[in-house]
Amino acid sequence: VATFHADPAQWTRRTYRLAARLGRRWLAGATVTAVSPVAAAALPPAWHPVEIIPNAIDTGAFGADGERSAQVAFLGRDDPRKGLDTLLAAWPQVRRLHPEAKLVVLGTDRQAPVEGVEYRGRVSEQEKRRCLAASAVFVAPNLGGESFGIIIAEAMAAGCAVVASDLAAFRPVVDGAGRLVPVGDPAALGSEIGSLLSDPGAARDLGQAARRSARRFDWSVVGASYRRVYESAVAGVGSTMRPHKE
């Protein structure tokens, strides 16, 4: 069983293409899986068919029943493609409509203060889950290079209303249970965040729909898919083995 997780760089894709013939021999009789259509699209046709099995999370570990304030959450390292600069550019627009709104940034710690923004840097799993459970909106303003979006799945499991960039990798994860905005567009991003903060009922409904949708990423579902794949692979290997003769 060969599993591919990434939306690789162009040089990796070229390597895949150059190695397609060798890979076809190496993967002969194997099952190839990928975490998303984006990850599968990087593979040369000789390596297909590819079975899509998403990344998994423990959905039961995320609480979703607490009180939520006008809090917006972001999680990501300080990498330009994670889109934090786009979110910060949108934030004044949000604050003009909602002066009480707070943006909590997890995973990044910048020195320059921004009104209404709290940087927490690297946090524990427990603190991450507490923050998501207290946030009305989770924002994923990523600019590209994503193959799945597991933090979106976690935010959905926590019952957040998700606003995410309209990336090919994010669409199947959100799957109608969140709002997608044009990539790198601060005005559109700020408008969607502000709209959800202005209508807590709509944000709550969207969060509940997201929580239901996230169940397909639970280990009980994804684990069963991988078990089936591995059992099939083991059965295939067993059918090709010859009995040993004394």
Side-chain angles (χ1 to χ4, degrees):
V1 177
T3 299
F4 292 84
H5 295 264
D7 177 16
Q10 286 301 317
W11 70 265
T12 306
R13 291 172 180 257
R14 288 194 292 270
T15 301
Y16 284 168
R17 289 194 294 271
L18 291 172
R21 185 174 300 177
L22 176 62
R24 181 169 52 192
R25 290 197 298 269
W26 178 59
L27 297 173
T31 297
V32 180
T33 74
V35 298
S36 68
V38 169
L43 305 180
W47 296 2
H48 286 238
V50 179
E51 182 163 356
I52 305 299
I53 302 179
N55 284 312
I57 61 173
D58 180 5
T59 59
F62 293 88
D65 300 324
E67 291 294 322
R68 298 178 190 265
S69 60
Q71 179 169 295
V72 179
F74 166 92
L75 173 60
R77 62 183 181 273
D78 204 353
D79 180 327
R81 69 183 178 89
K82 297 302 180 181
L84 178 57
D85 289 334
T86 301
L87 176 54
L88 293 177
W91 191 242
Q93 177 183 346
V94 176
R95 288 275 293 186
R96 281 195 294 271
L97 292 174
H98 302 280
E100 79 288 2
K102 179 173 73 171
L103 171 61
V104 178
V105 177
L106 306 178
T108 296
D109 189 4
R110 293 186 177 181
Q111 298 303 313
V114 178
E115 188 174 0
V117 178
E118 178 184 339
Y119 295 104
R120 296 189 184 174
R122 297 186 66 177
V123 298
S124 67
E125 279 291 312
Q126 291 74 19
E127 186 174 350
K128 177 186 72 175
R129 292 168 184 168
R130 284 195 296 269
C131 180
L132 292 177
S135 299
V137 180
F138 178 81
V139 185
N142 306 50
L143 303 181
E146 307 294 339
S147 63
F148 182 75
I150 198 163
I151 182 54
I152 293 178
E154 291 181 336
M156 292 170 67
C160 297
V162 171
V163 179
S165 295
D166 189 10
L167 296 175
F170 288 173
R171 291 174 205 141
V173 180
V174 174
D175 195 31
R179 298 186 180 179
L180 299 175
V181 298
V183 179
D185 187 335
L189 188 65
S191 178
E192 287 292 356
I193 296 169
S195 173
L196 288 168
L197 293 179
S198 295
D199 191 343
R204 183 174 58 252
D205 291 346
L206 192 61
Q208 290 173 351
R211 185 163 169 78
R212 291 191 296 270
S213 182
R215 291 171 186 160
R216 62 203 154 104
F217 303 124
D218 189 74
W219 272 111
S220 62
V221 178
V222 178
S225 295
Y226 270 112
R227 177 168 182 154
R228 172 181 51 78
V229 164
Y230 274 83
E231 287 177 342
S232 177
V234 169
V237 170
S239 67
T240 63
M241 294 178 65
R242 296 180 179 179
H244 178 69
K245 293 183 179 180
E246 296 294 341

